[in-house]
Amino acid sequence: MKVIVSLFFITAYFLGWLHAATVEISPQEQAWLDKTKTLHVRITKDLPPYQFMHENEYVGISVEYIKFFASMFNLKIEYETEGSWAEALERVKTHDGIDVILRLTPNSQLHQTMLFSKAYCAFPFSLLTSKTFPSEIFFNGSMRKIAVVPNYVINEKLKHDFPHFTYITYANSLEAMRAVNEHNVDGFIGDIAIMSMFVKNYRLDNVKISNLTRYATEEQSVATAKDWPEFISLFNKMLDAMPQDLHVKIKRKYLPLVHEKTSPANTQSVELSEHEKMYIATHPSISVTNELGWYPYDFNEEGEAKGFSVDYLKLLGKKVGLHFNFISGTWPVVYEKFQNKEIQMAQPLIPSAERRHHFRFSDKFITMDLALITQTKRHDISTMETLKGKTVGAGKGWPTTQYLKEEYPELNVVEYETAKEMLEAIAYGLIDAGVDDAFTAHYIIEKEMLTNLHVAFKVALKNLEDSNLYIVMQPEDEILQGIINKALHSVTPDELDALKSKWSKSIMSKELRLAFSLDEQIYLAQKNRIRMCINPDQMPLEMNQNGKHVGIIADYIALMETFLGVPIDLIPTRTWAESLLKAKERQCDILSLSIATPERKAYLNFTHPYMQIPLVLVSGEDKVFYADMNALAGKSIGITKGYAYGDILRVHYPNLQFVDTPSDEEGLKQVAQKKLFGFIGTLPTMAYQIQKDYFGSLKIISKLDERIDLSIATRNDEPLLLSLFEKAIDSIDATQKQTVLNKWISVNVEGHMDYTYVYMISAFIGFIVFIVLIRQYQLHQYNAKLEILSNTDKLTGIHNRLKLDDILEQEKKLFDRYQSPLSIVLFDLDYFKNVNDNYGHKRGDEVLKSIAAIVMRAKRESDVFGRWGGEEFLLICRNTDKNGAKTLAEKLRESIAAYRFPEVVSITASFGVAQFEKYDSIVKVFDKADKALYEAKAQGRNRVVAFDM
């Protein structure tokens, strides 16, 4: 149903503000306003206090903001209520009757397909209990019954933090809250805004809402398609122009039960002075450094700041009402920004006399232990004195590195931007040893499976008088220093222990980490057997072969069975769908491998992934390679029904025509019969099936960006199973894993050989190589025998990125061995988007082809040239230093600028040049080239810049 509403928000306050507000509108924004007269807005009828119906009118916090926006820019709103939430998320991407989603929490996946405004609302999670229940001890209990709502973001965090609680699923928040009101469950954790509205409207008289600082708030934004950046910029300008008290009035209008002492997103639990309260009121968000790779203290994954110190800071923020905005980058980059006062706080920082002279330090934050890391076989290194004349790695820009050089001048010290780079250099034999924090070293060694490394001994540096780590502030931030110190002193031992426990698991001794708790021991003693359902036909991973579980996963399960000491019995099923049904009906206790989905989480818990597998597209032998799946729009693509990645792919590739098939085998059969254009499955399974049944008729024609994480799924009504299988997975060491893999890639010639295994071996070789290479540099190399990938860019006929990756890795190995000069030239076309916009994509493609031809004619025979992506190209220059590469780049720049493209006025390019130095990683050199390219653009484009230290 669609409802047209008037868009003039009739309050004197708002009209007064609207009259006074002034917003600068750019030409692009004005053009958008000129052609956009109506906003098609997705709205929910029953989500108070954000959006709901009241006296036949849509009202709520979210509605108020979009009405403000429409009134300010003289637009109309048409509300859309039809279709599911998932459909709305798809429709907004193409403006299919929906232009705007009113309330959405951004995440990395959604950012790929949508644009988000600044947050206009952020309320904390709160705890709902009966009035008589002492909420302060709620999480101290050994058992609690918790109401949960499907797909609620807090569910996974709760189950992770409190696996021993019992979780009961209700259809929606209202039903969950009624269960608390009727004493059917102990509590419910949800958005305080929704809670307060329901308590009031539905007279839930037996409950109380308590503050919950344990979990971060959810920021709510409006969202739109990628092609509407003007809408987002205008909405943000409106938010910035609104006076703060107007924001407060909107929220208070719909939150009658939320009082001042409970409404802030981060509830204070520290006694603050009036000056400190005023500081927080005027500085609600503090910018903080976030290093890319100082595991496990401070690092960044998929755009999110993570680590022990990051979690510690968030805890401090909750206690005093501060929000921290983490600014990410390599340590030299973010520290320079901090020194230039572009960032307010740096953390966690090693003290030095110079730093203490220039900045304010908090009280002790974290204690650090320096250690020396070597290969386990280096018995010649036992003390610092035995390192004389050897090459030792250390952190770039660290005071400890300077102290190391001063105290041991006989060492050849090489500085690295990240600890991971340094440890990999030790593992690969590029340097003899490295100095870093022991906690960091243990964590990375475990995480990256650098099993040939160990912490040899602790390092004591005389000039390092203080081995603690600190939070550091600007010299003028005395009040902030006081606030941080108060927060630090308010942290309880239990809170600190919880943080340490979360991040210390990787450095516990294996015996301690894997030891069964008393509850786990009792559970296993009472458990006669563990019933397991599998995917009955997914070789070489697993299958049911005449009642016996065989395959890679079967070998892993056998090791886990030995560790647990309880038989794991196979429950026979005919299909994967039947296995899922039996798991839902509690006829099996575990699934041997499964993908976690919201639907499955209603009845299953999931271990951390123990296998990651890429997805590929299979089609006929006559088909060409497709680098971009979106090029297959309208093609019929098969996916086995019930596979979780099918839902993911339908969201990621809405233009593809997906067809469910009963099994992988049936899907490939339909491709062979040309009933389907292609079929998507896992790389090992597809390779196995092709070799077994379709060699010469089918082949892999595309590798998808998506990879699936496989876990063991355990029934969630027996939560101890989860912790037991977490430990069982961790009990399998690198040697055992290698033994399992060797079994599947080794060939033992015997008199009565089962040739099925030959097919398994052939198929799985490609899989093993792929997994190994992913671990090194996320490589895109595939088994040539299976023709998994093409080496050529389809449009230009030059090398594609996968081939360039492969060549560059080989060149890097030669460089490491012979130290012959090696440089790269990274360039892209200036203002290329204008070509596509003004002349069309077909003309843009012709330009890219011409660029490829120009460079192929102008480059030297020894240079390797390819398309890096979009309008970006790469040259690998063998036996060439950066000066020679710069000369070559200048020649190419001139050739491109002088070329007359048909219909297009002119095209220029900007170039970044970088040279490999000793101990450089490929990632580091690309970072150099990228910075040089950025500088070339900053200087006005159409120029060459070489990276200089």
Side-chain angles (χ1 to χ4, degrees):
M1 179 182 69
K2 296 180 179 178
V3 182
I4 307 296
V5 300
S6 172
L7 299 165
F8 297 100
F9 185 73
I10 313 172
T11 69
Y13 187 99
F14 172 65
L15 289 175
W17 166 76
L18 188 61
H19 178 73
T22 57
V23 172
E24 292 289 335
I25 299 177
S26 70
Q28 294 85 354
E29 292 166 343
Q30 187 59 58
W32 181 84
L33 287 169
D34 291 341
K35 69 179 181 181
T36 306
K37 301 303 179 184
T38 301
L39 297 176
H40 300 273
V41 177
R42 164 70 180 195
I43 197 164
T44 302
K45 297 180 182 178
D46 56 353
L47 190 66
Y50 297 103
Q51 41 193 295
F52 58 102
M53 289 289 291
H54 179 66
E55 297 180 354
N56 295 320
E57 182 182 1
Y58 287 111
V59 295
I61 294 172
S62 305
V63 177
E64 300 280 5
Y65 278 98
I66 199 65
K67 283 183 176 181
F68 282 7
F69 179 82
S71 297
M72 187 174 188
F73 297 109
N74 195 27
L75 299 171
K76 291 184 178 181
I77 298 176
E78 184 174 303
Y79 290 125
E80 175 63 57
T81 61
E82 294 179 350
S84 67
W85 178 246
E87 290 170 345
L89 291 178
E90 285 303 306
R91 290 172 61 187
V92 73
K93 298 174 187 175
T94 57
H95 300 282
D96 180 15
I98 298 176
D99 299 318
V100 176
I101 300 286
L102 272 187
R103 177 180 177 268
L104 197 59
T105 301
N107 61 39
S108 57
Q109 181 175 330
L110 292 173
H111 268 301
Q112 295 176 11
T113 55
M114 284 186 270
L115 298 175
F116 289 85
S117 71
K118 295 178 180 177
Y120 64 83
C121 196
F123 290 112
F125 288 110
S126 293
L127 173 65
L128 187 80
T129 61
S130 67
K131 285 184 176 179
T132 58
F133 197 104
S135 57
E136 63 273 9
I137 65 167
F138 187 88
F139 292 101
N140 297 337
S142 58
M143 281 299 296
R144 296 279 185 262
K145 290 169 67 177
I146 309 292
V148 295
V149 176
N151 302 325
Y152 206 21
V153 67
I154 197 68
N155 295 352
E156 190 171 347
K157 298 175 183 177
L158 282 171
K159 292 177 181 179
H160 176 271
D161 295 344
F162 304 99
H164 54 286
F165 285 4
T166 299
Y167 297 92
I168 302 174
T169 302
Y170 292 88
N172 52 52
S173 295
L174 178 58
E175 293 303 314
M177 294 173 67
R178 281 175 169 159
V180 179
N181 192 62
E182 296 165 7
H183 305 288
N184 294 327
V185 294
D186 297 316
F188 171 64
I189 294 166
D191 183 322
I192 192 174
I194 297 174
M195 276 189 185
S196 62
M197 202 72 171
F198 281 157
V199 168
K200 173 179 180 289
N201 292 347
Y202 294 94
R203 300 188 62 81
L204 304 179
D205 300 327
N206 299 324
V207 298
K208 65 179 180 181
I209 299 174
S210 303
N211 295 323
L212 184 66
T213 60
R214 182 181 297 272
Y215 297 108
T217 59
E218 270 194 296
E219 294 185 338
Q220 306 299 339
S221 303
V222 297
T224 189
K226 285 276 192 179
D227 61 350
W228 266 25
E230 298 85 1
F231 166 77
I232 294 298
S233 62
L234 287 170
F235 194 91
N236 288 340
K237 287 178 179 180
M238 178 204 73
L239 291 177
D240 293 338
M242 291 173 65
Q244 186 60 36
D245 61 338
L246 183 53
H247 289 282
V248 174
K249 285 178 184 292
I250 293 171
K251 294 168 179 69
R252 282 183 178 166
K253 177 179 178 180
Y254 294 100
L255 296 175
L257 292 186
V258 181
H259 307 295
E260 281 300 318
K261 64 180 181 180
T262 61
S263 60
N266 298 305
T267 303
Q268 294 181 7
S269 59
V270 175
E271 191 68 31
L272 299 173
S273 69
E274 290 303 317
H275 288 298
E276 289 168 338
K277 291 178 182 178
M278 182 63 70
Y279 183 94
I280 293 172
T282 55
H283 301 80
S285 182
I286 304 296
S287 56
V288 188
T289 59
N290 171 225
E291 188 175 350
L292 292 179
W294 192 16
Y295 300 91
Y297 292 115
D298 183 32
F299 58 97
N300 193 288
E301 286 184 348
E302 297 181 354
E304 182 181 357
K306 295 182 179 181
F308 177 76
S309 69
V310 171
D311 284 354
Y312 201 165
L313 269 178
K314 289 178 179 178
L315 173 62
L316 301 182
K318 289 176 184 177
K319 288 180 172 290
V320 295
L322 280 174
H323 170 74
F324 295 112
N325 177 30
F326 292 94
I327 309 299
S328 303
T330 60
W331 177 247
V333 170
V334 293
Y335 186 59
E336 182 180 0
K337 288 183 178 180
F338 171 69
Q339 289 177 307
N340 294 336
K341 299 190 176 184
E342 298 173 46
I343 298 178
Q344 292 166 271
M345 289 197 335
Q347 63 81 38
L349 212 65
I350 301 168
S352 68
E354 181 184 4
R355 286 176 173 176
R356 286 195 178 277
H357 178 71
H358 289 100
F359 304 110
R360 288 187 177 274
F361 276 66
S362 70
D363 293 339
K364 184 183 76 172
F365 184 39
I366 299 168
T367 299
M368 180 182 69
D369 289 317
L370 279 184
L372 188 87
I373 302 94
T374 66
Q375 290 188 3
T376 52
K377 66 182 181 181
R378 293 298 298 266
H379 304 298
D380 57 318
I381 301 176
S382 56
T383 65
M384 291 300 291
E385 286 67 32
T386 58
L387 284 169
K388 186 175 182 180
K390 292 183 170 57
T391 302
V392 178
K396 185 175 182 179
W398 285 28
T400 50
T401 302
Q402 185 59 37
Y403 298 154
L404 183 69
K405 292 178 179 179
E406 292 171 358
E407 292 187 34
Y408 299 97
E410 66 277 10
L411 300 182
N412 176 24
V413 177
V414 178
E415 298 186 28
Y416 289 87
E417 291 188 344
T418 68
K420 180 174 177 287
E421 281 188 18
M422 183 191 73
L423 292 174
E424 287 181 338
I426 303 169
Y428 302 149
L430 300 178
I431 57 177
D432 298 295
V435 174
D436 209 311
D437 171 62
F439 190 16
T440 298
H442 279 298
Y443 185 92
I444 297 176
I445 288 170
E446 180 76 15
K447 181 177 184 291
E448 300 298 326
M449 296 176 62
L450 302 175
T451 53
N452 66 333
L453 300 186
H454 73 144
V455 173
F457 52 84
K458 289 188 177 181
V459 175
L461 297 174
K462 296 176 183 177
N463 292 336
L464 183 62
E465 299 176 357
D466 187 349
S467 61
N468 294 314
L469 298 173
Y470 295 85
I471 303 166
V472 183
M473 289 140 280
Q474 301 295 345
E476 63 272 14
D477 273 335
E478 182 178 0
I479 296 178
L480 179 60
Q481 181 187 36
I483 294 171
I484 294 297
N485 284 338
K486 285 183 178 181
L488 281 169
H489 291 295
S490 74
V491 176
T492 66
D494 286 345
E495 288 172 327
L496 195 54
D497 286 344
L499 279 178
K500 289 179 179 177
S501 175
K502 175 181 178 180
W503 293 102
S504 297
K505 289 180 180 178
S506 65
I507 63 170
M508 292 179 184
S509 67
K510 187 172 182 179
E511 292 75 15
L512 181 60
R513 190 172 71 246
L514 301 180
F516 294 145
S517 68
L518 180 60
D519 288 341
E520 290 168 340
Q521 292 179 53
I522 294 172
Y523 176 86
L524 288 174
Q526 295 174 342
K527 192 83 171 172
N528 295 324
R529 65 178 183 138
I530 296 173
R531 299 168 301 167
M532 173 183 65
C533 290
I534 69 169
N535 191 324
D537 188 18
Q538 198 179 25
M539 288 300 287
L541 296 178
E542 64 176 356
M543 73 176 294
N544 182 340
Q545 188 178 64
N546 300 321
K548 183 180 180 181
H549 189 202
V550 298
I552 296 293
I553 304 303
D555 288 352
Y556 278 125
I557 292 293
L559 293 171
M560 296 180 205
E561 182 181 54
T562 301
F563 172 78
L564 295 171
V566 174
I568 300 178
D569 294 345
L570 175 65
I571 303 299
T573 55
R574 293 183 299 275
T575 64
W576 174 241
E578 185 182 350
S579 292
L580 286 173
L581 181 61
K582 285 187 179 292
K584 192 172 186 178
E585 295 176 346
R586 310 304 192 190
Q587 295 181 43
C588 50
D589 301 313
I590 68 168
L591 295 172
S592 57
L593 76 168
S594 182
I595 303 172
T597 67
E599 180 185 358
R600 294 175 187 174
K601 287 180 180 179
Y603 56 94
L604 293 169
N605 291 326
F606 292 84
T607 66
H608 64 276
Y610 70 103
M611 185 168 286
Q612 190 178 67
I613 302 178
L615 295 173
V616 294
L617 174 66
V618 175
S619 191
E621 181 69 27
D622 58 330
K623 301 298 188 297
V624 298
F625 172 73
Y626 286 85
D628 183 1
M629 286 290 293
N630 289 306
L632 296 170
K635 302 288 188 184
S636 58
I637 308 295
I639 302 179
T640 297
K641 185 176 182 179
Y643 283 3
Y645 58 75
D647 295 333
I648 298 171
L649 295 177
R650 283 180 168 90
V651 173
H652 289 185
Y653 303 102
N655 296 324
L656 270 61
Q657 181 184 337
F658 289 106
V659 179
D660 286 332
T661 65
S663 65
D664 290 355
E665 183 178 359
E666 178 61 26
L668 292 173
K669 181 179 178 182
Q670 291 187 31
V671 175
Q673 294 172 348
K674 300 191 183 303
K675 294 179 180 179
L676 293 173
F677 175 83
F679 182 82
I680 292 176
T682 63
L683 173 61
T685 302
M686 294 299 98
Y688 167 78
Q689 294 283 358
I690 290 171
Q691 287 289 338
K692 179 174 175 290
D693 298 320
Y694 298 102
F695 188 76
S697 61
L698 298 182
K699 69 178 181 180
I700 295 172
I701 65 165
S702 185
K703 178 261 175 186
L704 283 69
D705 293 333
E706 292 77 9
R707 292 174 292 179
I708 58 175
D709 291 326
L710 295 175
S711 306
I712 289 178
T714 65
R715 54 189 297 173
N716 63 2
D717 60 339
E718 295 184 14
L720 288 173
L721 269 175
L722 176 64
S723 60
L724 286 166
F725 273 94
E726 290 279 18
K727 292 176 179 179
I729 290 171
D730 288 342
S731 72
I732 304 174
D733 61 30
T735 302
Q736 290 172 309
K737 291 176 182 177
Q738 191 61 52
T739 300
V740 171
L741 298 182
N742 287 344
K743 172 182 175 180
W744 292 92
I745 63 174
S746 61
V747 180
N748 297 316
V749 181
E750 297 179 357
H752 301 283
M753 187 173 195
D754 183 355
Y755 283 92
T756 300
Y757 288 93
V758 175
Y759 294 128
M760 296 177 187
I761 292 160
S762 301
F764 202 63
I765 287 174
F767 172 55
I768 297 302
V769 172
F770 190 93
I771 293 298
V772 172
L773 294 180
I774 281 178
R775 187 188 166 283
Q776 298 296 329
Y777 294 107
Q778 300 179 329
L779 296 176
H780 310 277
Q781 177 180 346
Y782 300 90
N783 191 325
K785 292 181 181 179
L786 298 177
E787 299 182 78
I788 294 177
L789 290 177
S790 166
N791 296 326
T792 304
D793 177 59
K794 183 181 177 182
L795 176 66
T796 60
I798 58 179
H799 289 316
N800 62 14
R801 181 164 182 168
L802 298 173
K803 184 62 176 177
L804 291 172
D805 276 337
D806 188 18
I807 294 172
L808 190 57
E809 190 178 353
Q810 297 303 317
E811 293 299 325
K812 172 67 166 59
K813 290 178 180 178
L814 293 172
F815 169 78
D816 289 337
R817 183 172 183 179
Y818 300 110
Q819 293 297 300
S820 299
L822 178 63
S823 299
I824 63 171
V825 177
L826 188 65
F827 73 92
D828 73 7
L829 306 184
D830 299 328
Y831 304 112
F832 183 70
K833 183 177 182 297
N834 293 342
V835 176
N836 285 330
D837 291 345
N838 297 329
Y839 302 97
H841 288 276
K842 184 176 181 180
R843 179 59 60 196
D845 288 348
E846 293 301 322
V847 169
L848 293 176
K849 292 179 184 178
S850 297
I851 292 294
I854 293 168
V855 176
M856 288 299 291
R857 288 193 298 268
K859 77 177 187 68
R860 302 167 304 182
E861 186 176 351
S862 61
D863 299 325
V864 177
F865 176 54
R867 187 178 177 192
W868 193 241
E871 67 270 23
E872 199 168 32
F873 297 86
L874 177 71
L875 270 163
I876 303 171
C877 305
R878 298 165 171 146
N879 299 310
T880 307
D881 61 16
K882 69 179 178 184
N883 292 327
K886 185 176 180 181
T887 301
L888 173 62
E890 185 61 36
K891 176 184 174 183
L892 298 177
R893 185 196 67 77
E894 292 174 354
S895 298
I896 293 171
Y899 188 82
R900 291 294 171 259
F901 296 87
E903 296 186 21
V904 180
V905 175
S906 65
I907 295 291
T908 61
S910 299
F911 294 74
V913 177
Q915 181 178 348
F916 278 82
E917 304 291 347
K918 193 174 183 181
Y919 311 117
D920 275 353
S921 66
I922 292 175
V923 172
K924 185 173 182 178
V925 174
F926 265 99
D927 186 53
K928 293 179 184 178
D930 208 38
K931 288 177 180 176
L933 176 56
Y934 179 83
E935 181 61 27
K937 289 183 175 294
Q939 291 181 16
R941 293 180 167 81
N942 190 23
R943 65 195 63 225
V944 177
V945 172
F947 180 86
D948 290 311
M949 295 296 291

